[in-house]
Amino acid sequence: MDYSKRTIIKIFDEKNYLNNVLVPLSLKVDKVTFLYRGIVPEHSEQVISMLLHKNQIMTEFVTIKEDSEAERYVEDPDVIVDLSPRKYLTLYLFEIVLTKNNLIVYYDDEEDAIKDYRRHTVLTKSIYSLSIADLIALSGARIDYNMHDAPDLNDNDYIAKIKRVILKTHDCYPQFTNYISRLIQIIKEGKYEYHLDQPDSDRLRNNGIYPVLAENGIITIHDDNLVIKDKRFVPLLKNAGAWLESYLYIRLMEHNKLDECIMSAVIEFMPSIKRYPITCEIDLLAIKNNRLLLISCKSNKVDAYAVNEICLHNYVFGNDLSKAVIATFEDLNTKNPPIYNKGRELGVAIIDQPRILSDDLDETLVAITNGKYEYERTGK
């Protein structure tokens, strides 16, 4: 059915911002009138209006003092009433239109469909796909820049080398990150060759990690000189944590199971407040069917602080459909199995080394977006 000449009446939802745009964008209506008791935050109004106007949908924001003022907005039987925001004023509006002939709709997140409340039928399963940047903007923030560049997925040789290094070092990953940390103290921007003193040269050359990097043509140590042979790896040789982020990014993108993925996003919250900018970095942001994943990568130790941190980021930047995830290269069955209980308590999915290295990593992330992932302990 064509809804392009129709108006949607809905209650502005200041908490679950996805409710403000998903039904109008999916039904491709002509106009949306938002009702709200109090004041709509200026930034929210701007972002919502820009997103809807970009899709040829007009917007109107109306502040009402009394609930009864909402009645006049549904006098026209052609207006559609969207019940997606779950709050008292929505219920009041629902009571009003029950005695009228207006179409009543809502978004069913379990079936990922927009439904007709009166008929209990699906109006559409063609749900508008928002980008990661759209979702972050709707939360009152923006992606400022990327702290580390994501691997070029078209550079097959570079991708293959990253994967080989990870697969060769996963059983001794703390040793690997320590080795990279030592290189960080030596490597400087713009230089690719360094003279080492004898103790440093011996320690680096005799470390079990060195052959892995040397065999892949990344570095070599000869006559006490450290040479970076593959200049593409300078960013990774200067950041131990970026290896796991890069590997996960590659794995998530290579099967095309997710709609979009952004690595190492620096997010600025409330960018209109210039005097006190608040920023944070989220290692990976991924999205599938408007379900945002906020992923924190931990090379080694996962503690309660890490779980609390990504949970907080999800609370600030996420919505009812988003999920917080921690990915770690520890085998938590043997290192820290109780942390899974902390994750369950706060609604944070935790995937450890065996799951990251498995062939079905992409399916695991999709299951997390659908709320169907359940960690099965295999350790004794």
Side-chain angles (χ1 to χ4, degrees):
M1 186 178 294
D2 182 13
Y3 300 101
S4 61
K5 301 301 181 184
R6 306 283 289 275
T7 294
I8 280 183
I9 303 295
K10 63 190 289 85
I11 307 304
F12 175 78
D13 193 334
E14 72 278 7
K15 183 176 183 295
N16 184 21
Y17 54 80
L18 195 58
N19 279 333
N20 293 316
V21 299
L22 203 53
V23 170
L25 288 170
S26 300
L27 294 185
K28 302 176 183 177
V29 296
D30 181 57
K31 180 181 177 182
V32 184
T33 297
F34 293 95
L35 305 181
Y36 187 66
R37 287 199 66 175
I39 300 174
V40 175
E42 181 181 351
H43 180 75
S44 295
E45 182 174 341
Q46 289 175 352
V47 172
I48 291 169
S49 296
M50 286 177 58
L51 179 58
L52 294 179
H53 289 179
K54 186 172 67 175
N55 289 274
Q56 291 76 53
I57 300 174
M58 295 184 293
T59 57
E60 178 185 22
F61 291 82
V62 179
T63 299
I64 60 176
K65 295 181 179 179
E66 301 293 338
D67 295 345
S68 57
E69 294 177 33
E71 186 167 359
R72 70 186 183 88
Y73 291 94
V74 293
E75 290 175 352
D76 182 350
D78 282 337
V79 302
I80 302 169
V81 178
D82 178 10
L83 297 178
S84 298
R86 300 164 186 167
K87 52 195 301 183
Y88 170 74
L89 193 52
T90 299
L91 296 176
Y92 184 85
L93 192 62
F94 173 62
E95 289 181 354
I96 293 172
V97 295
L98 271 180
T99 61
K100 300 177 180 292
N101 295 317
N102 305 80
L103 176 62
I104 303 174
V105 303
Y106 67 99
Y107 172 65
D108 185 332
D109 57 13
E110 291 186 2
E111 293 190 29
D112 203 24
I114 295 171
K115 292 184 173 181
D116 181 333
Y117 174 82
R118 297 185 196 272
R119 298 175 181 272
H120 302 292
T121 56
V122 172
L123 289 177
T124 182
K125 285 201 169 188
S126 298
I127 305 300
Y128 185 92
S129 292
L130 289 133
S131 69
I132 292 173
D134 286 338
L135 288 174
I136 295 298
L138 286 167
S139 75
R142 69 185 178 95
I143 298 176
D144 196 14
Y145 62 95
N146 299 92
M147 185 168 287
H148 316 300
D149 290 334
D152 180 359
L153 298 175
N154 295 314
D155 190 338
N156 295 328
D157 176 65
Y158 182 54
I159 297 301
K161 284 185 177 181
I162 292 174
K163 293 170 78 171
R164 282 200 298 269
V165 169
I166 292 294
L167 293 176
K168 282 279 190 178
T169 61
H170 72 269
D171 283 336
C172 54
Y173 204 70
Q175 182 184 349
F176 172 73
T177 55
N178 286 338
Y179 192 88
I180 299 298
S181 295
R182 181 66 192 115
L183 293 179
I184 291 170
Q185 299 173 31
I186 298 170
I187 296 172
K188 297 177 177 59
E189 293 291 344
K191 290 186 62 179
Y192 304 106
E193 186 169 345
Y194 304 86
H195 181 72
L196 305 174
D197 60 32
Q198 191 66 47
D200 262 351
S201 177
D202 290 343
R203 277 195 294 269
L204 289 172
R205 189 170 42 238
N206 296 328
N207 191 298
I209 301 301
Y210 171 67
V212 178
L213 298 176
E215 289 165 8
N216 282 284
I218 297 172
I219 65 170
T220 186
I221 300 173
H222 182 67
D223 291 336
D224 296 335
N225 287 320
L226 167 67
V227 179
I228 301 174
K229 297 186 68 177
D230 192 331
K231 297 177 178 60
R232 296 171 299 180
F233 278 85
V234 170
L236 289 179
L237 293 174
K238 289 181 64 62
N239 190 305
W243 286 86
L244 179 55
E245 291 178 33
S246 298
Y247 179 74
L248 276 172
Y249 177 83
I250 293 166
R251 292 290 312 279
L252 296 183
M253 294 298 289
E254 64 186 355
H255 295 297
N256 293 318
K257 293 288 180 66
L258 298 167
D259 297 335
E260 185 185 3
C261 187
I262 296 175
M263 181 177 132
S264 192
V266 176
I267 297 177
E268 182 181 3
F269 185 61
M270 295 298 288
S272 61
I273 305 176
K274 295 298 183 184
R275 289 186 304 163
Y276 305 107
I278 301 169
T279 62
C280 69
E281 183 201 3
I282 298 181
D283 297 327
L284 287 165
L285 293 168
I287 193 171
K288 176 71 174 179
N289 296 336
N290 296 315
R291 289 159 167 81
L292 182 67
L293 295 180
L294 298 92
I295 306 172
S296 174
C297 299
K298 298 297 178 186
S299 298
N300 302 307
K301 184 180 179 181
V302 177
D303 54 20
Y305 176 83
V307 178
N308 290 333
E309 181 184 45
I310 195 63
C311 178
L312 177 61
H313 287 160
N314 186 36
Y315 176 78
V316 174
F317 305 116
N319 56 71
D320 282 1
L321 299 184
S322 62
K323 304 289 183 183
V325 183
I326 285 183
T328 177
F329 243 154
E330 277 192 331
D331 183 345
L332 292 177
N333 283 334
T334 55
K335 295 288 184 68
N336 190 11
I339 200 67
Y340 282 99
N341 294 328
K342 181 69 173 178
R344 288 191 185 97
E345 178 184 323
L346 295 178
V348 176
I350 301 177
I351 53 177
D352 65 352
Q353 187 193 95
R355 181 70 69 172
I356 291 173
L357 296 174
S358 68
D359 293 334
D360 62 351
L361 173 63
D362 54 327
E363 298 290 350
T364 297
L365 270 294
V366 171
I368 291 173
T369 66
N370 295 329
K372 297 179 179 178
Y373 171 69
E374 184 66 30
Y375 175 75
E376 297 177 2
R377 252 190 100 185
T378 55
K380 303 297 183 184

